[in-house]
Amino acid sequence: MKLRRKIYLAAGYNTISLGTGRKEFNPKKDRPGLEHYMKEAGQGTLQQIGGAEHVDESSVGNFMASRFNKQAHLGAMMPMVDAGLMYKPAYRSEGACASGGLALLAGIRSVLGESAEVVLALGVEVQNTVKAIYGADVLAGAGWYQKRKAGHAYFFPGQFSDRAGAYAQKVGEEKSRLALATWFKNAIDNARLCDTAQEYHNAHPDPLALGLSKPNGKVFTDHLNVFDCSKVSDGASAIAILSEEGLKRCGIDKKDAIEVVGLANTVADLTQDPADLTRLDNIETAIREALKSAGITKEQLATVEVHDCFTIAGVLTTEAFGFAEPGKGADFVIEGNTSRTGKIPMNTTGGLIGWGHPTGATGVHQAVTIWEQLTGRAGAAQITIHPDRPYGMTINMGGDDKTIVAIVYKRAE
Amino acid sequence: MNYSERLQNVSVLGAAGKMGSGILLLTALEMADLSLKPENKGKKFVLNAIDLSYDHLMGLLDYVRTQTLKAAEKKTVQLRALYADRADLIENGEIIEEYVLHVLRLIRPATDMKATYESHLIFEAVNENKALKVKLFTEIDANNPHTPWFLTNTSSVPIHEIDEEAKLGGRILGFHFYNPPAIQKLVEMIPAKGTLPEVTEFSAAYAKNLRKIVVQSNDFAGFIGNGHFMRDALHGIQKVEELAKTYGFVQAVVMVNKVAQDYLVRPMGIFQLIDYVGIDVMQFIMKVMNPYNPSENLHASLLDALMDLGVKGGQNNDGSQKDGFFQYEKGRIKSVYNLDTKSYEAIDTLQAAADAALGQLPATAIAWKNAIKDSSKDAKLAAFFQSLKSMNELGAKLAIEYGKKSLAIGEKLVADGVAFNAQDVNTVMMTGFFHAYGPVNEFFN
């Protein structure tokens, strides 16, 4: 995609990712609903940009509130976030777990098309309304419905378990398991540095050992254990998408913003199975297109937020990037290259495994994390950004490698 | 008749009771899973839930529905495989709902014994009353053309006596669940001397499919569980009677209860456990056991006195605790029954006085809830009990005495041939009573 105007992101805000693992979480007690999360995240961003009167349009990312919360039509909930959004444009984008990325993209298009100078992008999902076994039905909507009957009770864990099984065959069971466990450990290490993360309170003495637990297909899946899976999360994230004029209107200094320098949105046929279970072809395409659109190479990236809904997706993404040869992603991860002190730090606040995965919010959350890292706002989770590698990138995936939104950023100048 | 055929028509007697409802649930789940196997397609499975009145049976189906739903949610992976040929059932929610309906469809609530006349297997969970059990079994056996087998959930009545008096010719076995049957892992299996081997074989398979831990006990009144528990409780009662002379009855109850819970590292104090089981049930079981143990007096006047005053303990139908030695609020002890004033006294001040009389717990003390999940539990318990042995405080002395008594009871069960070995005694107390360690141990020597 060609960027005919400069596009900036600023004023990010994350609610906590609520679910098992957070001390506040009690499955037997009432919890905040969609309205709470939308208000907290939306208002969190509005406060940083001088209020709703500066906003031209709202773009909401959400996957399945229509089932989790029996609530569709989320665009029209934005005036509830702030009365200043009344009678302004708002809509919801849906692309499964890439809904947040699509919401960003829709907002970016509005600014590019000069129909808006400031867009409030907000992603939200509240999934703890049902037990995980029923949530699996809801999330299975990200796959082709004709495949649901033959699928696993935990549909997506089942899909990615098949990928993990194929990958284990390719690189060896032991190495594959160690790579997945290492990915999990990194996620927990990073989440412990971010107070909104679902695993922030995780105090287990040996996450690697947990990650090494042998999968049990009788009660879960054949090739993934529960630690390989992102948890059920409630949460929202918001960020402002602005033009140059929008920055001025909101009184935001460029150093407090990041610039969108490249992006790609690719889809693959939902009705088709992956050609090769050990490859994420669509992610590979989107990465290539996004880097090309930004005119940079992967070596110029300081950090990446990848879509590790499952540890295996994280490992395979290192190969889709080309950081490792096909079949060598396991070694790449085991050697520590993706840890926060590694060659290319990935998911520095925990990613989907560690920070949480409120599905429709995740794409926006990834952008907020990159904004925090590139503008020096990541607190305890802050990594060093080298001047010769100033770029950050997000890869947001819907379904099993079906809808991808990849965006490249750098700190605004 | 194979295992599956045996379970095609089953009756549970006393199905609405706290034990019967659990047995009904577990049997319904097992029958449902059998009926869903390809080789059993088209075969009819019937589970008669028999109780005295429809009022009692009304809540039963709700209980089964709630519990089956939980069970189905846990085994959805297997259920998807069982319903693989049902094109109309696609989502987990649809499959779970169908399974719950399937289980409920097996159950026929009835107040009429006639329903049992077609059954191949009778599960009995009525009162601990031998005459009643014999009467029911005799009636069923006279009218049922299928020579049914009988599993009794008695926790104390010798099985061979029921066998002989009801003339069952060995078609009976003691199958003693612990309360609540759906959750407690332990089953005491008690073959009588005449029990047919095929009945024992079937029961072992049934217990295994229910994923129960089975301990075989000899057919001696009270078996292992109550054999220990009744004597253990009598020790507690005896200590209360002694301490009452110095500290008064209510404080003595609080003291002994605390010793059993905090000093012996048990999930609850002995008087809370008596309340849980029911003072009436305790009295009944002791009455059953006493004649078989001529060298002991398994009887407590204190329990008789409480029963005369209408203080019975036990649980309400909704699982809440009735007033007994204690009154409870949200599961916590609120007040203590004073036998002299015939009223309850708030526990707060009594507890403080009891704590002062017992003395400080040593620093090595470990709480039950921590002990059960601690991988180095045995070492920590050993250190704790070692410190108790070296202390002069009353609490420590009472605890060591209690621990030794519990050990002696366990050893006696083995010596008398009730239990086959000490490990069985320990398994029963650790799984059936959730003790953190078995009574037969080296801690108190």
Side-chain angles (χ1 to χ4, degrees):
Chain A
M1 191 184 286
K2 193 166 177 304
L3 297 166
R4 56 195 290 274
R5 287 179 96 188
K6 291 231 179 215
I7 304 288
Y8 301 95
L9 263 60
Y13 186 94
N14 296 320
T15 68
I16 61 164
S17 175
L18 185 70
T20 56
R22 287 292 304 194
K23 285 180 181 164
E24 304 92 330
F25 182 71
N26 181 343
K28 290 183 181 151
K29 288 195 175 160
D30 284 344
R31 284 175 298 283
L34 274 177
E35 297 81 359
H36 165 89
Y37 287 99
M38 292 182 75
K39 274 187 189 170
E40 185 188 334
Q43 291 172 2
T45 290
L46 291 176
Q47 274 168 17
Q48 299 176 62
I49 62 170
E53 66 266 31
H54 291 153
V55 175
D56 296 318
E57 178 178 309
S58 299
S59 175
V60 180
N62 174 263
F63 174 23
M64 274 288 192
S66 45
R67 285 194 72 186
F68 280 123
N69 319 97
K70 298 183 170 54
Q71 180 65 65
H73 204 177
L74 298 195
M77 289 182 87
M78 291 309 289
M80 169 209 68
V81 172
D82 191 303
L85 300 173
M86 192 83 169
Y87 305 129
K88 289 181 178 175
Y91 46 84
R92 163 201 168 207
S93 300
E94 190 273 307
C97 301
S99 299
L102 289 182
L104 290 175
L105 216 55
I108 288 169
R109 284 201 190 94
S110 286
V111 178
L112 285 175
E114 298 180 44
S115 64
E117 304 300 331
V118 179
V119 175
L120 173 60
L122 186 150
V124 63
E125 205 77 54
V126 174
Q127 308 179 112
N128 280 296
T129 50
V130 295
K131 291 182 181 176
I133 191 71
Y134 304 109
D137 285 334
V138 176
L139 297 172
W144 187 31
Y145 188 68
Q146 303 288 341
K147 292 273 174 71
R148 177 67 186 113
K149 177 66 184 169
H152 196 278
Y154 294 94
F155 184 78
F156 271 97
Q159 299 281 295
F160 281 85
S161 166
D162 291 349
R163 284 188 178 274
Y167 194 69
Q169 272 204 330
K170 188 170 177 179
V171 308
E173 188 76 46
E174 205 174 321
K175 184 188 283 184
S176 169
R177 176 44 50 204
L178 181 58
L180 304 185
T182 305
W183 189 278
F184 171 73
K185 179 199 176 293
N186 292 345
I188 300 303
D189 285 349
N190 288 335
R192 285 169 176 170
L193 302 172
C194 177
D195 61 7
T196 54
Q198 195 161 338
E199 296 290 355
Y200 178 62
H201 299 133
N202 185 318
H204 194 278
D206 192 356
L208 187 70
L210 286 182
L212 289 171
S213 311
K214 196 172 163 50
N216 177 0
K218 280 190 183 155
V219 292
F220 194 54
T221 70
D222 290 337
H223 306 290
L224 293 180
N225 61 42
V226 292
F227 306 106
D228 291 314
C229 308
S230 51
K231 289 180 164 181
V232 177
S233 313
D234 300 345
S237 293
I239 198 161
I241 303 166
L242 316 101
S243 63
E244 294 259 5
E245 188 187 325
L247 284 177
K248 279 187 209 132
R249 186 197 290 173
C250 298
I252 293 171
D253 197 296
K254 277 194 182 166
K255 72 171 173 25
D256 296 323
I258 53 174
E259 184 186 343
V260 174
V261 295
L263 48 77
N265 172 209
T266 58
V267 296
D269 186 346
L270 189 65
T271 68
Q272 298 298 313
D273 289 333
D276 179 347
L277 285 171
T278 65
R279 295 187 78 142
L280 296 171
D281 299 324
N282 194 20
I283 282 190
E284 195 177 319
T285 309
I287 290 171
R288 193 174 58 238
E289 294 295 321
L291 289 173
K292 193 170 122 193
S293 148
I296 67 160
T297 66
K298 63 179 185 298
E299 285 73 25
Q300 291 170 274
L301 292 167
T303 178
V304 184
E305 289 294 302
V306 306
H307 197 100
D308 62 336
C309 43
F310 303 95
T311 51
I312 182 66
V315 174
L316 292 180
T317 301
T318 65
E319 297 181 11
F321 249 111
F323 284 118
E325 298 282 304
K328 298 290 179 195
D331 297 297
F332 188 75
V333 171
I334 292 166
E335 287 159 10
N337 294 306
T338 59
S339 80
R340 58 187 302 101
T341 54
K343 198 181 278 181
I344 174 72
M346 293 189 179
N347 297 4
T348 54
T349 59
L352 285 63
I353 300 272
W355 190 83
H357 186 26
T359 46
T362 289
V364 181
H365 169 256
Q366 291 176 321
V368 173
T369 301
I370 292 293
W371 169 71
E372 287 171 342
Q373 287 292 4
L374 297 187
T375 61
R377 285 178 160 76
Q382 184 68 49
I383 57 163
T384 309
I385 308 292
H386 295 287
D388 54 338
R389 291 195 288 128
Y391 296 94
M393 185 166 178
T394 56
I395 295 146
N396 188 201
M397 170 170 72
D400 183 1
D401 199 28
K402 296 306 182 196
T403 291
I404 311 298
V405 178
I407 308 180
V408 183
Y409 306 91
K410 71 168 184 181
R411 190 172 192 168
E413 293 165 350
Chain B
M1 182 173 283
N2 64 25
Y3 178 83
S4 163
E5 287 162 344
R6 180 67 55 189
L7 281 165
Q8 269 187 253
N9 193 315
V10 180
S11 292
V12 176
L13 311 179
K18 65 180 177 182
M19 298 304 287
S21 55
I23 293 168
L24 183 92
L25 168 72
L26 295 174
T27 308
L29 293 175
E30 172 66 356
M31 288 170 68
D33 291 356
L34 284 173
S35 68
L36 286 170
K37 285 190 172 174
E39 64 266 31
N40 288 327
K41 284 275 154 71
K43 290 182 188 164
K44 195 167 81 175
F45 284 74
V46 174
L47 178 56
N48 299 304
I50 315 284
D51 213 298
L52 290 174
S53 77
Y54 280 111
D55 282 350
H56 291 152
L57 287 163
M58 267 173 65
L60 180 64
L61 292 184
D62 286 338
Y63 168 76
V64 173
R65 180 176 163 275
T66 310
Q67 296 299 318
T68 303
L69 183 65
K70 284 186 190 168
E73 287 167 350
K74 280 188 190 151
K75 60 177 183 183
T76 312
V77 174
Q78 295 100 298
L79 290 181
R80 286 192 77 89
L82 284 173
Y83 286 109
D85 62 344
R86 284 283 301 270
D88 58 321
L89 302 175
I90 294 168
E91 295 205 324
N92 294 337
E94 293 164 339
I95 286 166
I96 289 167
E97 190 182 353
E98 174 62 24
Y99 180 74
V100 172
L101 266 176
H102 184 82
V103 170
L104 289 174
R105 278 196 296 255
L106 298 173
I107 300 170
R108 311 267 192 282
T111 56
D112 188 340
M113 288 290 285
K114 275 186 187 151
T116 66
Y117 300 168
E118 290 302 315
S119 290
H120 303 130
L121 183 71
I122 312 291
F123 241 119
E124 172 271 309
V126 302
N127 291 344
E128 277 300 73
N129 178 335
K130 186 174 76 174
L132 174 63
K133 292 173 198 284
V134 169
K135 175 177 166 286
L136 292 172
F137 291 176
T138 307
E139 182 191 328
I140 294 168
D141 209 36
N143 291 287
N144 184 317
H146 307 294
T147 51
W149 293 356
F150 297 84
L151 299 186
T152 169
N153 185 55
T154 181
S155 66
S156 58
V157 181
I159 312 300
H160 68 272
E161 293 190 7
I162 305 176
D163 187 19
E164 284 151 21
E165 290 176 36
K167 301 186 178 60
L168 299 176
R171 284 176 285 117
I172 184 171
L173 177 130
F175 201 89
H176 177 217
F177 285 93
Y178 277 69
N179 183 24
I183 293 166
Q184 284 265 34
K185 283 280 169 216
L186 181 70
V187 164
E188 265 182 294
M189 227 171 86
I190 310 114
K193 55 180 184 283
T195 295
L196 299 169
E198 53 268 37
V199 177
T200 309
E201 196 183 320
F202 164 84
S203 304
Y206 172 77
K208 189 176 170 218
N209 285 355
L210 265 49
R211 295 196 187 81
K212 295 296 180 190
I213 296 167
V214 178
V215 170
Q216 199 157 322
S217 166
N218 254 326
D219 185 18
F220 192 88
F223 318 122
I224 300 172
N226 280 331
H228 189 282
F229 173 39
M230 293 301 135
R231 292 175 174 95
D232 190 82
L234 282 170
H235 176 79
I237 291 168
Q238 187 199 330
K239 285 294 129 190
V240 163
E241 286 165 350
E242 288 171 27
L243 292 167
K245 291 171 196 156
T246 312
Y247 300 98
F249 174 75
V250 274
Q251 190 181 319
V253 168
V254 176
M255 286 166 72
V256 175
N257 197 62
K258 181 180 164 102
V259 167
Q261 180 165 10
D262 294 351
Y263 286 73
L264 293 183
V265 198
R266 291 180 180 179
M268 59 177 82
I270 188 67
F271 294 107
Q272 190 179 354
L273 179 59
I274 292 173
D275 282 352
Y276 179 79
V277 171
I279 293 168
D280 50 349
V281 175
M282 298 287 293
Q283 190 191 37
F284 215 102
I285 293 172
M286 286 189 199
K287 254 184 214 163
V288 171
M289 286 171 64
N290 206 21
Y292 301 95
N293 294 278
S295 64
E296 296 171 89
N297 183 20
L298 299 181
H299 169 254
S301 306
L302 173 59
L303 299 186
D304 296 345
L306 288 168
M307 285 295 289
D308 290 346
L309 291 164
V311 179
K312 292 182 183 174
Q315 286 146 47
N316 295 306
N317 282 339
D318 65 2
S320 61
Q321 182 66 48
K322 292 183 195 168
D323 296 347
F325 279 93
F326 303 117
Q327 271 181 330
Y328 302 82
E329 195 170 62
K330 291 180 182 168
R332 295 174 73 93
I333 297 171
K334 184 177 76 172
S335 52
V336 191
Y337 190 72
N338 188 332
L339 206 52
D340 304 323
T341 61
K342 301 179 180 44
S343 61
Y344 285 88
E345 291 181 21
I347 191 159
D348 304 352
T349 47
L350 287 168
Q351 189 71 62
D355 291 354
L358 294 171
Q360 285 277 321
L361 274 163
T364 49
I366 178 165
W368 172 81
K369 64 175 185 199
N370 298 329
I372 48 166
K373 50 189 179 192
D374 194 325
S375 54
S376 54
K377 160 184 90 168
D378 286 348
K380 288 186 180 163
L381 288 168
F384 174 33
F385 296 138
Q386 194 57 41
S387 352
L388 289 181
K389 280 193 254 185
S390 64
M391 290 164 58
N392 272 323
E393 276 83 351
L394 179 59
K397 294 201 171 306
L398 287 168
I400 297 300
E401 190 187 351
Y402 213 141
K404 283 183 174 167
K405 178 67 186 178
S406 175
L407 166 65
I409 296 168
E411 286 176 335
K412 183 175 156 54
L413 288 169
V414 181
D416 291 351
V418 179
F420 289 104
N421 53 58
Q423 187 52 50
D424 282 354
V425 178
N426 287 348
T427 303
V428 168
M429 297 316 289
M430 290 171 74
T431 53
F433 291 80
F434 291 121
H435 285 191
Y437 57 97
V440 186
N441 57 61
E442 300 292 326
F443 297 136
F444 298 100
N445 285 334

